[in-house]
Amino acid sequence: VDLKPQDHVFATLHLTSSQPMEAVLMWSDTTNANFPGCNAIPFEIGAGEDYLTLPLTDTAMWTGAVKRLQLSLTGKAGQSVTLHGLSFGKLPEGPAKLTIASMSAKHSIYSVGEEVLLTVRTRNDGGQSAQNVSFRLTAGNADAVVASEDLLTLADLQPGATSSVSWKVRATKPGVVPLTVRATADGILR
């Protein structure tokens, strides 16, 4: 392999797995026998057919050059994976796919009744536009109230693009408050 920085930003794997398993894509910008630890992206493979897009530029030691690749799979006896394709490009490939990239608040501890601004960043890891994107925030129990609209919508999210949405949340009791965010786009659930 001899990819130059102008050739790619994303690696897209098209595969089918018999069961969920863990994997790591490693690459090196040299042809010697080592793979620097920072040039690795761990990810999970779900059961069934899927397109997985890995943003190579999100790694700490990204130089833009790829000379060697290694795909490592961790599974159990009897599991199988078929790799239909591995491609590199400036944009992801395959259908639209929403990924929750991060969920954060300014602090990790708040007082009961204090309003918290919760921000979720999502990315379209697919090769097609995600249309009619919406996000729903739910509290797992009655220990929190979503103080703003629980359903937020965005315009279309282009391949490789990221966007953020925020909610105001207030705890009604002390303790841990489980929150769930669901992102959908024209029937895509992620």
Side-chain angles (χ1 to χ4, degrees):
V1 178
D2 191 13
L3 299 174
K4 307 288 188 256
Q6 66 273 16
D7 297 333
H8 62 287
V9 173
F10 296 96
T12 302
L13 292 92
H14 177 201
L15 46 82
T16 302
S17 178
S18 63
Q19 295 177 27
M21 65 175 65
E22 296 176 1
V24 178
L25 179 67
M26 296 176 277
W27 70 93
S28 177
D29 58 4
T30 66
T31 55
N32 66 18
N34 70 16
F35 284 96
C38 291
N39 286 338
I41 300 178
F43 58 98
E44 293 181 8
I45 299 172
E49 184 177 5
D50 201 359
Y51 284 84
L52 298 170
T53 298
L54 307 174
L56 302 177
T57 58
D58 286 356
T59 58
M61 295 189 59
W62 170 251
T63 64
V66 176
K67 302 230 184 241
R68 295 180 57 243
L69 288 169
Q70 179 175 324
L71 178 61
S72 296
L73 304 170
T74 304
K76 297 177 183 164
Q79 287 182 290
S80 65
V81 173
T82 301
L83 181 62
H84 304 289
L86 170 61
S87 59
F88 295 88
K90 293 180 183 179
L91 293 173
E93 294 182 10
K97 183 173 184 178
L98 297 177
T99 300
I100 302 293
S102 66
M103 186 163 132
S104 62
K106 188 173 181 182
H107 306 289
S108 59
I109 300 175
Y110 290 87
S111 301
V112 172
E114 184 179 357
E115 205 166 77
V116 177
L117 185 65
L118 178 69
T119 300
V120 170
R121 188 172 66 92
T122 191
R123 181 178 58 238
N124 180 359
D125 284 338
Q128 298 173 5
S129 175
Q131 299 177 348
N132 302 317
V133 180
S134 63
F135 301 87
R136 183 173 300 277
L137 176 69
T138 55
N141 54 36
D143 295 346
V145 173
V146 179
S148 56
E149 279 292 319
D150 64 336
L151 180 66
L152 300 175
T153 58
L154 290 176
D156 299 346
L157 195 58
Q158 297 302 312
T162 60
S163 189
S164 296
V165 293
S166 297
W167 290 270
K168 292 179 182 175
V169 180
R170 195 171 47 252
T172 57
K173 294 184 204 173
V176 175
V177 178
L179 299 170
T180 302
V181 174
R182 278 214 196 272
T184 60
D186 284 345
I188 298 171
L189 180 62
R190 195 66 179 159

